[in-house]
Amino acid sequence: TVGTILSNEEVEIRSEISGKITNIYFKEGDKIKKGELLLKINDDELQARLLSAQSRKKLAEQQAERQRQLSEKKLISPEDYEKFVNELNVIKAEVQLVQAQLDKTEIRTPFDGIIGLRYVSEGSYLSPSTLITTFQDIGTVKLDFTFPEKYSGEIKPGNKITFNVQGTSRKFTGTVYAISPKVDPNTRTLRIRAICPNHDGYLLPGR
């Protein structure tokens, strides 16, 4: 049967927010560990908003503490004190929101893998629809292939498979780990997925 090699994991790297690229930290084809910084988006406006929110939070905390002391001495009503507490909570939520937006200005790798071709440059303006690059884990690869319906009872997860790819006489071995629960009514075949180690990177997705 003929099959297709797939990445173990593959993603298109895009930004969750719009903005201008200030720094690019990767080179095409690099092997990169999970969590490494790929790209930085301008965050000047967000930093200013964060500083403002933090200043208002500090002032609100001081006011809330003074009102707490007055409330304990019965000099103000519990309702008045509660208003200050609510205002403080609103500002705390704003600080968290701005911080979350700041985190999105740094695009990092979701897992260990190899970076693809780059489609942006420093100074480019990004939107969530802009493709930055692709990222793949090919230390292990998956294989998709089909199996005739009449033999469906003879294959199960854990079965070993042997295969070759064009351009080499090398034989590779994989292990079946998933079987589609449905037979394709057009081809009367069952789709099978296997997994294979690819430590030397020879097996490229798409082959």
Side-chain angles (χ1 to χ4, degrees):
T1 184
V2 176
T4 302
I5 296 174
L6 309 172
S7 303
N8 184 42
E9 301 289 351
E10 178 178 0
V11 294
E12 291 184 342
I13 303 294
R14 301 177 189 269
S15 173
E16 294 185 64
I17 62 172
S18 298
K20 183 179 178 181
I21 299 172
T22 56
N23 295 95
I24 293 175
Y25 299 99
F26 67 89
K27 293 181 181 178
E28 295 159 307
D30 276 356
K31 290 184 178 181
I32 301 179
K33 294 292 186 180
K34 178 180 179 179
E36 287 193 27
L37 182 61
L38 296 177
L39 181 147
K40 178 68 177 176
I41 298 172
N42 185 283
D43 64 0
D44 290 348
E45 182 179 342
L46 289 172
Q47 291 287 2
R49 285 177 54 192
L50 180 63
L51 186 61
S52 173
Q54 288 174 333
S55 296
R56 288 188 286 112
K57 176 189 170 187
K58 184 177 180 180
L59 180 60
E61 286 174 337
Q62 293 171 347
Q63 290 176 333
E65 176 59 21
R66 285 196 295 267
Q67 297 304 311
R68 183 189 66 79
Q69 293 172 1
L70 292 174
S71 177
E72 288 179 349
K73 295 175 182 178
K74 309 297 184 182
L75 297 177
I76 63 171
S77 68
E79 291 77 13
D80 288 339
Y81 170 58
E82 193 65 30
K83 289 179 183 178
F84 284 92
V85 173
N86 290 337
E87 289 175 7
L88 175 59
N89 288 335
V90 168
I91 297 173
K92 284 181 177 179
E94 183 182 346
V95 170
Q96 291 177 344
L97 177 61
V98 176
Q99 186 60 62
Q101 292 175 319
L102 271 171
D103 292 342
K104 292 178 182 179
T105 65
E106 295 185 348
I107 299 176
R108 297 179 180 273
T109 48
F111 46 80
D112 293 356
I114 298 177
I115 205 77
L117 301 181
R118 175 164 59 88
Y119 299 104
V120 296
S121 301
E122 288 187 6
S124 299
Y125 186 83
L126 285 181
S127 70
S129 63
T130 305
L131 175 62
I132 298 170
T133 186
T134 58
F135 192 64
Q136 302 181 76
D137 169 14
I138 60 170
T140 300
V141 292
K142 297 171 181 174
L143 296 90
D144 269 10
F145 61 95
T146 56
F147 211 61
E149 171 189 19
K150 62 182 178 179
Y151 300 123
S152 61
E154 299 180 28
I155 190 165
K156 60 184 182 297
N159 285 158
K160 298 295 182 181
I161 63 165
T162 302
F163 66 98
N164 63 286
V165 294
Q166 290 185 341
T168 180
S169 59
R170 286 175 62 183
K171 294 290 184 181
F172 302 90
T173 302
T175 304
V176 173
Y177 77 94
I179 300 174
S180 171
K182 178 183 177 182
V183 172
D184 187 319
N186 298 313
T187 61
R188 300 300 175 187
T189 57
L190 198 61
R191 185 165 294 280
I192 312 293
R193 184 165 286 181
I195 197 163
C196 176
N198 186 36
H199 304 306
D200 62 357
Y202 184 82
L203 297 171
L204 297 179
R207 296 185 75 165

